Amino acid sequence: MALTALDIYKLLPKTNCKECGFPTCLAFAMRMAAGKATVDLCPHASGEAKATLGAAASPPLPKVLIGAGEREVVLGDETVLFRHEKTFCHPSAVAISVRDDLPDADFAARIEAIRGLAFERVGQRISVDLVALRCVSGDAGKYARRAGAAFEATGLPLVLLAPAGPLAAAADAVGASRPLLSPPPEDLEAGARLAAARKLPLRVRARGMGGLAPALATAREAGAASLVADPAPECAREAVADATTLRRLAILARNRDLAYPSAFDLGNGFPDPFLAAALLIAKYGSLLVMDTADPADLLPLLTLRQNLFTDPQRPIQVEPGIYPIGAPGESSPVLITTNFSLTYFTVRGDVEAARTPALLLISDCDGMSVLTAWAAGKFTGESIARQLAECGIADRVAHRTLILPGMVARLSGRIEELSKWRVLVGPQESSALPSYLRRLTAAAFAPSRG
Amino acid sequence: MTVSPSIPTFPGRILEVTLPAGPGGSPVVVGGQNALPLLPEGDHPHAPAVGMEIRTGPEELPPALAEVIGPFSGNPAALAQKCVSGWGARFLFLSLSGCNPDAGGQGVQDGAAIVREVLAATATPVIVGGCGDEDVDGRLFPAVAEAATRPVFLSYAEEKNYRLVAGAALAYGHGVVSWSPIDINIAKQINLLLADLGFPGERVLIDPLTGGLGYGLEYTYSIVERVRLAGLSGDAMLARPILCHLGDAWKAREASDASEPGWGDSALRGRRWEEATGLACLAAGADLLVCRHPENVKRLSEAAWR
């Protein structure tokens, strides 16, 4: 937990020497508590004070970088246990595996399949993040060549799952792309020395917290600094418990020996990988290695990740504009609502359920729902009249009838006053739209001469 | 080297709720825990339960569902039997969607008759859902409460209708599902109102409204987590088992669209869409899941550990 200004003050010399640049030790302590100053400004701080305050200033869960450039993957660096407390920052990274002993054509096809695991959703691109290269051949030269080929073809950072020999060869070949070294437990020391020499991130795999604590210490002693902890669980249930323990140790206990981003190999015969992956996306998995490259598995998992790693304080917004539903014609109904994504998706779903082709106007309301936007003055008679005039809807339909959310029925007079449109007040709840739309007569949308 | 993990302990405990069964059936008991879900800490006397939804109204099923439950269309009693004995549903959510005026006009008495048929066909616990039309539901719930030959749960009681629903449930010994639109304050409020009426807490479930994967699931996820944390922290009005409907998952285009070649097999994808929605709900703290695909009863039960 973060230290208070008073906790910090107690650790300072209390001499008010001003050498830190602040008038008193207490003022300095208050700046530090606010995260605006660090202990190294104080030339007289004791070793204990430096150790305690230095540790308190660093993030509870360290940040580990894999890859470089545009596709760089960030693990860890989270500050809360529940997304509603603030937000989760760095989405669980998903690595798809490929074996190095596949025949050339199969290898290329597999890499191509991994490359294809990218989708567009609500205006965002969601995709798998890494390629995990499994060394099955035991042949260092082959493994290194395959690593080069996988990186070249996908541009994705690599997870190198290989014993010391092939691992060193691959690090020679693709070290500049900053892969994650993932030696088996028996090659931990060799892997850690390689990671230290090349300044590469290292995955440390050992069973449970009891195994990880000494293994991580070994890796640190060998000089590896950027570490990822794999507790090697045997099933989803253990995986969730381990991931939770690691995350709590970092955030609640500020434990330094075990506070690392977590990694899980859900391939190689791990039971029920889809189930484990979904639960670990919700519960603290930082890196997931999977053997499936089936989009029917990955589109749901990546969508779940997109959902849960959305900042709860910043709702996803939909681009304002005209959204056709079905194949609308010039006499199709026109509805309007705000650009809060949940509002949009709900209304869209209900209009689709009505099976009536329609045009949905989305207003720019800073991602607020209808009532909130109205209360904030973002969804008004003026703004709606302006949108009707400027968005080009008049060219898409021959009528001039707008369906307004029932919650803001009071805007109808103003809209009719300011525009040439007639307003029909729709239902209060979007869920009543299907029956509402089905009850409307074609006469409501007869061409207007106005 | 010893590691002392930080295990949070909570002062509160979730109220234990029993969904009663008929003669020879197994009741479903949920709640009773004093810890967060999925973790080997605290007491978890009961595993979450996975049930299935039966809808009485006509609907166009996504292909992945049509294949398996389509053949039972128009025969809720037969589907109920299949759900329980063939697919392992531990309870049924009987949605009387056919009573909605837009759905082809089953009357209130038809709805009540279907409830009786389903209760006769199986001994498994049943939750009866309304049709979504305020006026009709106002007549439907009392009729169902009277017609039910054994205790069921009525779904749902909200701010507008709770007196009527809770009154009908109280008169005939049923339970209620309290509903709120992804809002922890309203969830608490409706439970307070029910308590003020003297409705017994051990016959109340919380339905926080479940958005499907990709379409608002994150809101539900956080509300479920917050309701559960509040309940465990001692807020008695929120210390209730939580029920999540996964049906919304099937409304997503991604759950049924077969026209996108890059999205993989649509039948598997549809199932996965519902499964991922359910797994997220379990991770957040749901005690009861209502799914639609038979395979997902099995799949989600795999993660419904104590």
Side-chain angles (χ1 to χ4, degrees):
Chain A
M1 293 281 106
L3 296 175
T4 65
L6 218 54
D7 295 334
I8 297 169
Y9 176 68
K10 285 179 192 153
L11 293 165
L12 295 177
K14 307 186 198 67
T15 51
N16 297 337
C17 71
K18 301 186 179 57
E19 285 175 52
C20 61
F22 297 96
T24 63
C25 287
L26 185 59
F28 179 45
M30 288 169 74
R31 298 296 289 177
M32 269 200 278
K36 303 253 162 73
T38 52
V39 68
D40 42 276
L41 289 174
C42 175
H44 308 296
S46 67
E48 186 210 346
K50 280 186 173 147
T52 311
L53 297 175
S58 61
L61 185 63
K63 184 193 272 192
V64 171
L65 305 175
I66 309 172
E70 230 173 82
R71 302 308 303 260
E72 182 183 67
V73 172
V74 183
L75 307 182
D77 195 22
E78 299 288 353
T79 56
V80 294
L81 286 174
F82 301 100
R83 63 186 293 278
H84 64 258
E85 293 175 312
K86 190 161 173 254
T87 183
F88 291 152
C89 304
H90 297 110
S92 313
V94 176
I96 304 300
S97 72
V98 54
R99 293 161 55 123
D100 75 330
D101 65 335
L102 291 178
D104 288 347
D106 294 356
F107 185 84
R110 174 80 178 175
I111 291 292
E112 194 50 35
I114 296 172
R115 227 167 61 87
L117 293 171
F119 314 91
E120 280 282 325
R121 285 203 82 257
V122 276
Q124 293 178 349
R125 184 176 186 273
I126 55 176
S127 69
V128 300
D129 310 281
L130 309 106
V131 178
L133 184 61
R134 288 193 196 280
C135 183
V136 182
S137 68
D139 175 341
K142 176 169 199 158
Y143 187 74
R145 281 195 304 280
R146 286 277 151 101
F151 178 68
E152 190 137 314
T154 61
L156 295 176
L158 303 180
V159 179
L160 299 173
L161 292 148
L167 195 61
D172 277 338
V174 296
S177 70
R178 206 174 155 74
L180 175 66
L181 304 183
S182 303
E186 61 273 20
D187 285 350
L188 171 62
E189 275 196 70
R193 281 195 301 273
L194 183 63
R198 293 191 166 271
K199 298 202 174 359
L200 292 176
L202 175 74
R203 180 210 62 169
V204 175
R205 181 173 164 92
R207 185 113 165 94
M209 301 306 121
L212 274 174
L216 287 161
T218 303
R220 285 192 296 263
E221 278 154 26
S226 196
L227 303 179
V228 178
D230 177 351
E234 283 181 354
C235 60
R237 185 176 190 158
E238 276 182 20
V240 171
D242 287 345
T244 305
T245 301
L246 283 169
R247 185 63 58 89
R248 283 176 176 169
L249 282 167
I251 290 175
L252 298 178
R254 289 246 163 192
N255 175 303
R256 291 282 138 187
D257 300 329
L258 279 159
Y260 293 101
S262 61
F264 296 90
D265 191 341
L266 305 180
N268 254 348
F270 191 91
D272 217 337
F274 181 87
L275 181 147
L279 295 177
L280 287 167
I281 285 169
K283 291 294 170 189
Y284 316 126
S286 300
L287 172 65
L288 312 176
V289 177
M290 305 199 69
D291 284 351
T292 174
D294 185 344
D297 286 330
L298 286 152
L299 179 56
L301 289 174
L302 295 174
T303 303
L304 178 62
R305 176 178 79 174
Q306 181 187 36
N307 277 177
L308 297 185
F309 284 84
T310 297
D311 184 344
Q313 282 142 31
R314 274 206 328 218
I316 301 187
Q317 301 183 20
V318 180
E319 203 58 39
I322 306 173
Y323 289 78
I325 297 172
E330 60 174 20
S331 59
S332 296
V334 175
L335 301 92
I336 191 163
T337 193
T338 69
N339 71 331
F340 175 35
S341 71
L342 196 55
T343 299
Y344 163 75
F345 285 122
T346 310
V347 172
R348 179 178 185 106
D350 290 325
V351 175
E352 279 170 353
R355 308 203 163 276
T356 313
L359 290 154
L360 183 57
L361 290 186
I362 296 299
S363 273
D364 185 0
C365 300
D366 295 345
M368 294 180 196
S369 64
V370 169
L371 266 186
T372 321
W374 169 76
K378 306 268 179 197
F379 195 49
T380 63
E382 284 75 8
S383 76
I384 293 170
R386 197 178 325 120
Q387 186 175 10
L388 287 170
E390 292 171 4
C391 74
I393 186 68
D395 303 329
R396 304 277 289 264
V397 290
H399 66 83
R400 294 290 178 266
T401 302
L402 176 71
I403 299 173
L404 186 70
M407 293 279 190
V408 289
R410 67 197 91 199
L411 298 181
S412 51
R414 191 77 180 134
I415 297 170
E416 291 189 340
E417 215 173 282
L418 294 171
S419 70
K420 295 200 165 96
W421 288 65
R422 184 169 72 100
V423 173
L424 292 181
V425 175
Q428 296 258 329
E429 299 292 337
S430 166
S431 56
L433 273 173
S435 57
Y436 175 86
L437 288 174
R438 281 197 292 263
R439 278 201 302 270
L440 289 175
T441 57
F445 306 103
S448 141
R449 289 166 204 284
Chain B
M1 197 181 302
T2 56
V3 180
S4 54
S6 299
I7 298 177
T9 54
F10 296 98
R13 189 179 282 274
I14 305 308
L15 206 58
E16 201 170 81
V17 171
T18 300
L19 280 65
S26 311
V28 167
V29 189
V30 287
Q33 67 270 47
N34 65 352
L36 291 171
L38 304 180
L39 299 170
E41 60 196 39
D43 308 330
H44 295 269
H46 310 292
V50 186
M52 285 185 76
E53 181 172 10
I54 295 172
R55 298 177 68 85
T56 59
E59 63 174 331
E60 197 167 321
L61 292 167
L65 280 182
E67 199 185 340
V68 276
I69 61 172
F72 296 90
S73 171
N75 196 345
L79 179 54
Q81 279 174 336
K82 185 69 181 176
C83 287
V84 176
S85 50
W87 297 327
R90 290 187 55 206
F91 66 95
L92 298 172
F93 190 100
L94 176 61
S95 164
L96 297 177
S97 54
C99 295
N100 192 298
D102 287 334
Q106 286 169 2
V108 162
Q109 286 313 318
D110 300 326
I114 293 174
V115 172
R116 266 197 304 269
E117 273 169 43
V118 168
L119 291 177
T122 160
T124 216
V126 172
I127 302 172
V128 181
C131 70
D133 182 286
E134 213 178 303
D135 292 342
V136 177
D137 282 348
R139 286 175 283 125
L140 188 58
F141 283 123
V144 167
E146 188 185 349
T149 47
R150 57 181 166 91
V152 297
F153 273 65
L154 302 179
S155 173
Y156 43 77
E158 51 159 336
E159 279 180 307
K160 278 188 217 158
N161 73 354
Y162 75 97
R163 281 177 186 280
L164 181 127
V165 176
L170 268 182
Y172 296 93
H174 304 302
V176 300
V177 178
S178 71
W179 182 88
S180 42
I182 316 195
D183 186 319
I184 189 170
N185 298 316
I186 299 178
K188 180 168 176 165
Q189 172 70 5
I190 179 71
N191 276 279
L192 265 171
L193 293 171
L194 287 170
D196 285 348
L197 282 184
F199 202 92
E202 57 277 9
R203 292 205 328 242
V204 180
L205 301 170
I206 291 179
D207 175 352
L209 176 58
T210 306
L213 177 62
Y215 296 86
L217 174 63
E218 68 271 35
Y219 300 95
T220 300
Y221 183 88
S222 284
I223 286 295
V224 172
E225 273 196 332
R226 290 175 61 198
V227 167
R228 179 48 38 92
L229 284 165
L232 291 174
S233 304
D235 188 333
M237 287 305 128
L238 294 175
R240 305 272 158 85
I242 298 169
L243 174 141
C244 288
H245 278 278
L246 310 182
D248 250 24
W250 292 98
K251 293 185 189 159
R253 184 164 83 89
E254 293 93 331
S256 60
D257 196 334
S259 70
E260 291 277 355
W263 286 5
D265 175 55
S266 63
L268 172 62
R269 185 171 6 102
R271 260 173 32 215
R272 291 298 204 204
W273 211 259
E274 183 180 56
E275 186 186 351
T277 306
L279 290 169
C281 292
L282 283 175
D287 299 280
L288 296 149
L289 297 179
V290 182
C291 68
R292 300 211 65 190
H293 198 287
E295 182 69 17
N296 280 338
V297 176
K298 209 182 321 160
R299 300 280 311 140
L300 291 165
S301 295
E302 293 287 324
W305 59 66
R306 283 169 51 194

